[in-house]
Every structure is written in C-alpha cells, then in structure tokens.
C-alpha cells in the first residue's frame, strides 16, 4: 500500500496509479511491464542522471567528471575517441587527426587511472559507450577497481558492447561477426560470475536512429539484435534467467513526444514476450531496462539555443516513457563538443523535469489515453512485422549480412531528408522561421597537440614496463583466441601488465582478421 502523500500545487492528492475509468489489465512491475519495470517507478527512485562526457586527455575528462559530479549527476558516462573505439593506440598512423576529438583517448591502464583520479569506482555507476574494444575497456575498469581496493562483485555500471548495430548503422567494428559475438558472450559469462552487478550489454537503438531510421525501425532492429544476443548466449550454455538480468537497452528520444512514449512502452512489452519465448521465467530476466539519450541528429547548428527546448521535450518523452537513466545533450553539440555551460544547462533540464514538473508523481501518467494506448499497439504491431521479416532471413546477423537493415535505414533517412528539403517537415530555424545568425556560440575545441602528449606517454610506458611479462600476456591472448576459453581473465591480466589497447586489439586482428563489410 502506498503511504507516500503527493499533491498537486493546488493540494489535490495524486494517486500512485490511475486505472479508472479506463479499464487496464496491465500493471507496472508485472509482466509484460508495459507500464514500467517497477511498481512505484519514480515515486520510489528517480532515474539516474548521466551526462555523456569525454574529450581530449584523461586528465581533461577527469576535470569535467568532477564538475558534473559537483553539479549533481548520479552516474558517469564515458565517451571514447575513435582510435580507442576501433582498437588503435594514439601513436598508430590511423590515429592521426582523431586523438581526443570525439571522446577521450585511452591507451592503457595508466590512462584509465588518470580518467578516474580521485573518483572511487565503488561509489559510482559508470556507463561506457564502447563496442568492438568493450572487452579491453571493461578489463581496464575492473583492473582499476581492484587497484582501488573495491570489491568487483559490487561495482556497477554498463558497457555498451553492442556490435550488431555497429555493422548495421555505425561502423566502429573490427572483427568479423562470429568472433565479435564470442567476445560479447565471454563478457556475459565472466561478469555473471565475477562482476554480477555490471550490465554486460546496452543493446543500442540510439545509433540506429542517429543513422536515419524511424522510431519503428529503431525499436524492431534493436529488439531483433537483442534476440540474437540471447540466442548466442543460450547456445554457449548460459542460463537466460541469470545473464538476461544484466542486459540493458539504449534508446533515442526525438521530438514527437507521443510516438516516443509509445515506442518505450511497446519495447517493454515486446521484450518480455521475446525473453519468455526463449525460456526466461524470472521476472528480472524478462524486464527491459533502458537508458535514453536525447537525439543528437535533431540538434541544429542554426539558432542553436532552440536545441534547449528540443532537448527538454525529448527528455520529457523519455521520463513519461519510463526510462531508467537519461542523458540530455548540450545545445551546442551540432557545432562542437559541449562546453561546461551547455553541459550544465542539459543537466539542469533533467533536474527541472525531476523536481519541478510533477511528471514523476504517478506511474505511467499517459496510460489510459486513447491516443497513447492505440499508438503503443500500432508501434508494436509495425515493429513485429519487421522482426518477422528478419527472423525469416535467419536473424539479425543474416539480415545485416544481406544489407536489409542498412537499406531500410537508408531509405528512411532519404525520405526524411527530402521532407525537410520540400518543407513538408518543418525544422524551426532551418527551413522555417529562419533569421540571420547573430552573435557567436562559444565552442570547445580539442587541440591537435593532444596526440603528441599521448605518444610521449606511450613511449614512456613501453620503456618502463616489464616487456617480457607484457609479451607473455599477449601470447596467451593469442593462444586462448584459438580455443573456446573465456578471454576476459587473460585480457585483465594483460592490462594489469600494462599491455596497451592497441596491442591487445592487434593480437586478435592477427588471429581473426578484420571485417570489411
């Protein structure tokens, strides 16, 4: 029984849950979780407020993390630069011009230590947006937690670790699909035993949407990819009632509030059915828990402060849809990495939604709306049709190899772009209500000299480490890669002996090759 009394500003008591006069059989916290994964939702606990951050060096990113923590974020979210994402050290020729640009450069455990200097990993939840090298960055995080004296069975966070959407929409893959899926299930297996509070994958629709999909495609392709991960883990002999509890999702939030809310509600109901069909009987293994980020592709370089309103609307849709954590974009991100001012406004947007809007006072506040309920059903039905097509092809891997997802996304992106050009789709400040630009937005720029500093750190590391011990670790990774043994223990050992990210990634390139798409 709910004992927490919440009222409107006029003193009207707000019920925890509204069911009448519209008859609703589904309840929050109960299969199929359409109305939320927890019975009381935000009345008990607000979503985790994260701000995605990482740029330049580990030292500079560490300063931003301390700033965000001082402003009230409840979890950190790490952005990595492109060389880190695709397994190159900062001194590799392929890294030239990219070091520290779209995220932080992490070459070794020493960089990870600087990234989290004076931040106790036992006390925070960390999300890392990393995929093809997720196993290496997770190994570094675990190694650092151990070095700090933390109990790794109690550390919490998420590693994105979703390679299928990289093949379909984003492109930061390294290895062919089969060994990539092996790395993902190795993380599932290792963490279920050794780091049980860690979310081992964040199955991402975000980048599918950023690539140009619509909301239904984002939902269908994401859940289809999730289904493939479930099947791969089950084939490896893992228990769905154990490993599925640590899976999470990552969705985009765009401007159409009601469609986005319907998408989030439909996602929970569909995932509950998918997991149940594959043998999940534990409620926590059937729940779809998700992080949301506001839509980067919706931000405009014209009249950039309009983006503050867009981000607020998108954040509103995520909360109305029942998200478990949220990142709100900076208004200047169509122009550069976010400044401290933009990051602060983005965080304040979440805090205003949480503490001033009243939308957290009751569970699933849009439930019972004829429009929202119908739209939830319609979005679900359309998504199932796409999933059925993918299943008929043999699943997500086959659909990606056949370029089905890529072609569908490209068609959607082309149609959207045409709609903007012919003005049937209005973008305020871009194709309607335009004005001459006045003033200049302060931008954050990353200096190209960052690479030189990273190269110097790498040279010092290689000169001072026990080279024989490091090489022994790399040789063991190569040996284990040719077997079916779990690679995580030897990768953790390698980063502890100061093997670099690029060295580990290259060792596996030598065994598995690279995927050319």
């Amino acid at each position: 029984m709910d004992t927490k009394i919440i009222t409107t500003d006029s003193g009207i008591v707000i019920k925890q849950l509204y069911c009448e006069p519209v008859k609703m059989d589904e309840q929050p916290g109960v299969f199929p979780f359409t109305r939320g994964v927890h019975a009381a939702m935000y009345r008990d606990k607000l979503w985790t407020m994260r701000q995605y951050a990482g740029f330049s060096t580990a030292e500079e990113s560490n300063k931003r993390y301390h700033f965000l923590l001082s402003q009230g974020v409840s979890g950190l979210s790490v952005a990595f630069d492109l060389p880190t994402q695709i397994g190159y050290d900062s001194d590799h020729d392929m890294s030239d011009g990219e070091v520290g640009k779209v995220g932080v450069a992490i070459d070794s455990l020493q960089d990870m230590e600087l990234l989290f200097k004076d931040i106790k990993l036992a006390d925070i939840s960390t999300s890392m947006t990393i995929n093809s090298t997720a196993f290496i960055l997770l190994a570094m995080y675990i190694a650092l937690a151990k070095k700090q004296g933390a109990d790794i069975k109690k550390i919490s966070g998420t590693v994105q670790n979703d390679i299928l959407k990289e093949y379909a929409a984003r492109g930061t893959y390294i290895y062919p699909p089969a060994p990539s899926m092996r790395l993902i299930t190795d993380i599932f297996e290792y963490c279920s035993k050794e780091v049980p509070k860690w979310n081992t994958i964040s199955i991402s629709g975000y980048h599918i949407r950023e690539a140009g999909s619509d909301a239904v495609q984002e939902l269908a392709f994401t859940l289809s990819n999730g289904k493939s991960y479930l099947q791969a883990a089950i084939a490896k002999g893992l228990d769905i009632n154990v490993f599925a509890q640590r899976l999470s999702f990552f969705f985009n939030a765009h401007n159409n509030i009601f469609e986005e809310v319907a998408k989030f509600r439909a996602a929970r109901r569909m995932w509950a059915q998918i997991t149940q069909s594959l043998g999940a009987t534990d409620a926590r293994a059937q729940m779809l828990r998700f992080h949301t980020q506001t839509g980067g592709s919706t931000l405009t370089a014209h009249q950039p402060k309009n983006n503050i309103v867009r981000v607020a609307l998108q954040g509103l849709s995520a909360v109305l849809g029942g998200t478990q954590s949220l990142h709100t974009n900076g208004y200047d991100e169509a122009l550069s990495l976010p400044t401290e001012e933009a990051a602060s406004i983005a965080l304040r947007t979440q805090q205003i939604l949480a503490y001033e809007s009243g939308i957290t006072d009751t569970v699933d506040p849009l439930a019972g709306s004829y429009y929202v309920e119908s739209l939830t059903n319609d979005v679900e039905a359309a998504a199932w049709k796409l999933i059925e097509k993918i299943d008929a092809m043999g699943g997500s891997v086959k659909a990606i190899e056949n370029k089905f997802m890529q072609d569908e996304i490209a068609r959607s992106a082309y149609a959207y772009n045409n709609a903007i050009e012919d003005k049937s789709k209005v973008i305020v400040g871009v194709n309607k209500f335009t004005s001459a630009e006045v003033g200049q937005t302060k931008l954050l720029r990353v200096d190209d000299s960052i690479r030189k500093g990273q190269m110097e750190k790498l040279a010092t590391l290689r000169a001072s480490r026990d080279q024989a011990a490091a090489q022994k670790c790399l040789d063991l990774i190569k040996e284990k890669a040719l077997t079916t043994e779990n690679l995580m223990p030897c990768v953790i050992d390698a980063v502890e002996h100061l093997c670099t990210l690029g060295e580990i990634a290259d060792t596996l390139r030598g065994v598995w090759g690279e995927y050319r798409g």
Side-chain angles (χ1 to χ4, degrees), residues 86-88 92 94 132 167 171-177 179-180 505-506 508-517:
I86 54 177
Y88 293 119
H92 194 283
M94 290 290 288
S132 59
Y167 298 124
T172 64
Y173 47 74
I174 302 173
Y175 313 112
S180 292
D506 279 346
L508 293 176
R509 280 188 179 94
V511 178
W512 297 330
E514 290 185 291
Y515 183 67
R516 299 298 180 184

Side-chain angles (χ1 to χ4, degrees), residues 215-372:
V216 169
Q217 291 168 332
E218 177 192 0
L219 175 59
F221 297 163
T222 304
L223 295 190
S224 181
N225 289 348
K227 184 177 179 181
S228 292
Y229 293 129
L230 291 177
Q231 291 167 330
I234 291 167
K236 193 180 176 99
L238 303 184
D239 183 351
I240 190 171
N241 283 311
V242 176
F243 76 81
Q245 293 189 32
R246 303 317 306 174
L247 308 188
S248 66
F249 287 79
F250 176 23
F251 287 116
N252 210 313
H254 275 219
N255 292 327
N256 190 318
I257 291 176
F258 297 109
E259 183 177 47
E260 295 303 296
V261 171
K263 177 187 74 180
F264 298 135
R265 297 174 89 246
R268 281 191 293 269
R269 189 156 67 200
M270 293 173 73
W271 186 245
Q273 294 173 56
I274 289 169
T275 52
Q276 186 183 63
S277 72
L278 292 174
T281 55
D282 189 296
R284 287 193 60 80
Q286 299 167 336
M287 291 178 183
L288 182 146
R289 297 166 296 114
F290 68 99
H291 170 72
T292 309
Q293 182 173 340
T294 56
S297 61
T298 70
L299 302 178
T300 64
H302 296 282
Q303 300 178 19
K305 289 187 179 177
N306 293 346
N307 294 328
I308 297 172
V309 180
R310 294 186 177 100
V311 168
L313 292 173
Q314 293 163 10
L316 174 65
S317 75
V319 175
L320 289 172
T323 193
Q324 276 60 68
S325 80
L326 177 61
H327 163 81
T328 34
N329 290 329
Y331 70 85
D332 55 359
E333 289 189 57
L335 298 164
S336 72
L337 292 166
T339 59
E340 278 196 2
E341 178 196 40
S344 181
I345 291 171
L347 176 59
R348 294 290 181 255
T349 301
Q350 293 202 48
Q351 292 164 338
I352 290 168
L353 286 173
Y355 296 104
E356 296 187 27
S357 70
I359 59 173
T360 63
D361 293 343
T362 191
V363 180
D364 196 15
L366 293 182
S369 156
Y370 294 120
Y371 179 41
V372 171

Side-chain angles (χ1 to χ4, degrees), residues 159-190:
V159 65
Q160 190 163 101
N161 196 31
D162 175 8
I163 203 64
L164 291 179
K165 68 94 175 48
E166 295 296 325
Y167 298 124
R170 191 161 174 266
T172 64
Y173 47 74
I174 302 173
Y175 313 112
S180 292
M181 292 292 278
R182 180 257 180 97
L183 289 170
I184 287 166
T185 54
D186 277 0
I187 290 175
F188 288 179
E189 182 180 48
Y190 178 82

